[in-house]
Amino acid sequence: MKKMFFAAALLLSGIHLIAQDNVKIGKQHLSLSSKQMTPETLWAMGRVAAAEAAPDGKQIVYQVGYYSVKANKSHTVICITDANGKNNRQLTTNTKNETDPHWIEGGKRIAYLSEGEVWSMNPDGTARKQLSKSGGKIEGYSFSPDGHKVILLKSIPFNGIIQKNPDDLPKATGRLITDLMYRHWDHYVETIQHPFIADVTSTGITAGEDILKGEPYECPMEPFGGIEQLAWSPDSKQIAYTCRKKKGLDYAVSTDADIYLYTIATGETKNLCKPADYKEPPIDPERTMANQPVNAPENLKNNPGYDQNPQFSPDGKYIAWTSMARNGYEADRNRLCVYDLATGEKKYVTESFDSNVDAFCWGSDSRSWYFIGVWHGCVNMYAVNAKGELKQLTDEWADFVSIAPANKGNKLLALRQSFSAPNDIYIITPGKNVKETKTERITSENKHIIEQLKFGDVQQRWVKTTDGKQMLVWVILPSDFDETKKYPTLLFCEGGPQSPVSQFWSYRWNFQMMAANGYVVIAPNRHGLPGFGQAWNEQISGDWTGQCMDDYLSAIDDAAQNLPFVDKNRLGAVGASFGGFSVYYLAGHHNKRFKAFIAHDGAFNLESMYTDTEEAWFSNWEYDNAFWSKDQTVRARKTYENSPHKFVDKWDTPILCIHGELDYRINYNQGMGAFNAARMKGIPAELLLFPDENHWVLKPQNGILWQRTFFNWLDRWLKK
């Protein structure tokens, strides 16, 4: 729930050629008639991802995704560049999506996925060869360091919760459900991913053996896990993998994922997080785990929370992974855990960083690590050693969103974005401190578009909260800003609820798009967000309608009173997920501040939400108790008593509700309920429903419709 950034994508008609209902890439110069960004311009941008440096560090292979509005589909290609940013070229030119590039054979070849199969090619794109023959079933892969084996991710049928229909009823569409977790994110759970170990031979890749054969558990984990949740040992003899070995109700109320070590020669599997005789304490599924025995201090040594994304040290003596301490709390602080394979000792090396380790990689000495993490609204790069001594390497108003070695030394490869720039590839040479660290930009994928656009300036303010703290607030100015004018202004309400308002670039909630439409954006890092210490981050649990809502009002009141270009008579509030919940709540508590609201995929009725959402651990932790509990805590009573649906009698402001019908995190009945209530109250309202979208909006034409509806609504009420 916490990381619900709202991604989607589109392409300007004409920038790509359409042939036989497939997207054929023909990148052309885009000439804009206006300096202002439009939805079509935004979606014309290529999306850089999956960058990997060659073993010798001389080249970087990566993928770029493009979208066609006309064809309403995407196309992904593979590109390569020299490590100095020169000789950048596209390797794949056909109509098929080609993704997930990785160097193999010591850098002599590049492996990639195409139509569910593993292929390889030379670094110049020649000598293409299909390696696997799985019938298009491969969803991810990872070659062993020696190149003799490969992990293949494939989905297998799963009828442990949704029962298989009788064979003599092949057209029956009903689903007989026997437990929880029958839906996850946007699909019914009728398959699960398993990792298969296959041999790499002179003729290709074998079918492979399922290392979780007979186990009813997914690996990697739904809904966002990928090949990063598995890792090869340097000697190619073992695999570390992430798995939550639970199902049904037990899965729905728990975040207890562990790291397992699988030995290929023997087939032996060992849990690195828990002793062999570990027995989980009983769990009450109707209340928060915060005070249950599973999270008692003496049990925390058994890693009851999220443990994910293992990586072996270069010398093979250690495994590191990201680790959350407590079960049931998906927004717990993500620490870096290091496991000594010889002694079984676990050590946490990032305790001095009071925020999350978002991603990491090993230093070449096998005794140090590099990681990225959010602090004060920016995701920067850090280094830490085995003593836990921390140093910051970058200090930018930006978000580094990935980190990996760039060569066999200590250069680092990263993707970087900001409010004013989508992803590009950077190489970082760490220094002793921020001043000595060197950052080099390697790609400029969207330069031909961005250099034609006029972006709004980004400012930073610190605003005093009602509890006497200081809150970081981002201010984004209109792209045609004139200091003598007053502008309609939007309060941005963040989702999560514990996702940072950092320097993200979004293809939907894009602040520069709002600036291009003539709006000032006020984006506060309210209580309940990471990057300001764990106490600040945790304050929101059990207090959804208290301090964080005061923070929103403090931010917009500060802007209205102290920023002369903010028109206090033309204020709006917008947000998604928890941000949508925030909008629904503010609609009944804003005291005439706002003239328009927009809520996307927000929770409206928390009693309904408690049993509607598929990941039950979230509601348990945030609300404390089930709504039917007779012995509710004070926090639980406060939560349910302050549900937005109980304050519709105070609604008096036009509201646009948006929801996806495939959203199983916050079901679409929430958006419908809010819209229906507004109309029954006689309040101007609109409802934008997407039958084929989940918590995000991913289809190109739906994305354009979203943007147009969003700004049409705001313009109607805030630009009179």
Side-chain angles (χ1 to χ4, degrees), residues 506-572:
S506 171
Y507 286 90
R508 186 160 62 263
W509 293 92
N510 188 288
F511 292 160
Q512 289 295 351
M513 175 68 74
M514 299 176 194
N517 279 270
Y519 291 94
V520 173
V521 181
I522 304 298
N525 276 273
R526 49 150 175 85
H527 281 74
L529 301 184
F532 302 88
Q534 192 64 6
W536 180 279
N537 186 51
E538 291 195 19
Q539 188 282 328
I540 196 170
S541 295
D543 189 32
W544 278 21
T545 57
Q547 187 61 52
C548 65
M549 295 299 166
D550 290 343
D551 289 353
Y552 283 139
L553 297 179
S554 293
I556 197 66
D557 287 349
D558 168 75
Q561 295 166 13
N562 298 315
L563 299 179
F565 47 82
V566 168
D567 188 340
K568 65 180 181 180
N569 296 313
R570 293 188 293 164
L571 304 179

Side-chain angles (χ1 to χ4, degrees), residues 281-588:
I283 291 173
D284 183 348
E286 296 181 21
R287 64 186 181 95
T288 177
M289 287 195 203
N291 302 311
Q292 296 197 45
V294 70
N295 283 326
E298 64 271 15
N299 197 48
L300 294 184
K301 66 180 183 296
N302 296 313
N303 294 58
Y306 266 131
D307 293 276
Q308 302 185 75
N309 305 344
Q311 294 182 32
F312 283 85
S313 61
D315 64 9
K317 295 181 179 180
Y318 305 90
I319 299 177
W321 64 79
T322 58
S323 176
M324 294 185 184
R326 291 166 287 182
N327 196 345
Y329 188 26
E330 65 161 10
D332 210 349
R333 185 166 63 91
N334 229 0
R335 308 160 297 164
L336 186 58
C337 179
V338 182
Y339 181 92
D340 188 322
L341 286 164
T343 66
E345 178 189 5
K346 289 180 291 191
K347 183 178 181 179
Y348 300 90
V349 297
T350 55
E351 294 303 271
S352 62
F353 186 64
D354 199 12
S355 190
N356 293 317
V357 175
D358 293 332
F360 75 96
C361 66
W362 283 86
S364 60
D365 61 359
S366 295
R367 299 296 184 274
S368 61
W369 302 265
Y370 300 100
F371 70 91
I372 54 176
V374 65
W375 190 253
H376 287 184
C378 302
V379 180
N380 276 295
M381 197 168 291
Y382 300 83
V384 66
N385 62 23
K387 296 180 181 179
E389 295 170 336
L390 185 77
K391 65 178 179 181
Q392 186 170 346
L393 299 177
T394 65
D395 186 14
E396 302 185 26
W397 281 14
D399 280 5
F400 288 94
V401 296
S402 69
I403 185 171
N407 58 12
K408 292 182 179 179
N410 281 332
K411 285 193 174 185
L412 302 170
L413 183 70
L415 295 178
R416 177 190 179 278
Q417 60 183 233
S418 71
F419 289 155
S420 304
N423 270 354
D424 267 308
I425 300 171
Y426 286 73
I427 287 182
I428 293 86
T429 304
K432 295 180 181 180
N433 49 45
V434 169
K435 290 184 178 180
E436 293 187 16
T437 296
K438 183 180 179 182
T439 301
E440 303 171 83
R441 183 173 181 169
I442 304 304
T443 62
S444 298
E445 167 64 28
N446 297 295
K447 180 180 179 182
H448 65 294
I449 299 176
I450 292 176
E451 66 184 4
Q452 300 180 68
L453 297 173
K454 186 177 181 182
F455 281 170
D457 288 340
V458 177
Q459 300 178 350
Q460 194 181 78
R461 290 180 65 80
W462 289 89
V463 174
K464 190 174 182 179
T465 60
T466 58
D467 64 345
K469 304 293 195 310
Q470 290 293 316
M471 172 175 58
L472 170 63
V473 178
W474 295 110
V475 180
I476 300 86
L477 302 180
S479 53
D480 60 353
F481 181 70
D482 180 341
E483 63 181 9
T484 66
K485 295 183 179 179
K486 287 186 176 293
Y487 292 91
T489 299
L490 303 178
L491 172 68
F492 172 74
C493 302
E494 178 59 283
Q498 287 153 297
S499 299
V501 184
S502 58
Q503 284 277 329
F504 61 83
W505 175 272
S506 171
Y507 286 90
R508 186 160 62 263
W509 293 92
N510 188 288
F511 292 160
Q512 289 295 351
M513 175 68 74
M514 299 176 194
N517 279 270
Y519 291 94
V520 173
V521 181
I522 304 298
N525 276 273
R526 49 150 175 85
H527 281 74
L529 301 184
F532 302 88
Q534 192 64 6
W536 180 279
N537 186 51
E538 291 195 19
Q539 188 282 328
I540 196 170
S541 295
D543 189 32
W544 278 21
T545 57
Q547 187 61 52
C548 65
M549 295 299 166
D550 290 343
D551 289 353
Y552 283 139
L553 297 179
S554 293
I556 197 66
D557 287 349
D558 168 75
Q561 295 166 13
N562 298 315
L563 299 179
F565 47 82
V566 168
D567 188 340
K568 65 180 181 180
N569 296 313
R570 293 188 293 164
L571 304 179
V574 301
S577 197
F578 180 83
F581 163 87
S582 301
V583 168
Y584 289 143
Y585 181 79
L586 289 173

Side-chain angles (χ1 to χ4, degrees), residues 51-116:
E52 183 174 281
D56 62 8
K58 293 181 179 180
Q59 292 180 301
I60 299 167
V61 66
Y62 62 100
Q63 71 182 46
V64 185
Y66 300 99
Y67 289 77
S68 167
V69 174
K70 182 178 180 181
N72 202 33
K73 62 170 62 174
S74 65
H75 185 227
T76 304
V77 301
I78 296 173
C79 300
I80 194 169
T81 182
D82 293 346
N84 59 8
K86 297 180 180 179
N87 200 23
N88 191 307
R89 58 210 182 276
Q90 185 174 309
L91 296 181
T92 57
T93 57
N94 62 39
T95 59
K96 298 175 183 177
N97 284 319
E98 294 173 322
T99 66
D100 301 85
H102 295 283
W103 296 93
I104 59 173
E105 299 181 19
K108 296 178 182 178
R109 301 275 289 175
I110 296 170
Y112 61 97
L113 279 181
S114 180
E115 296 190 311

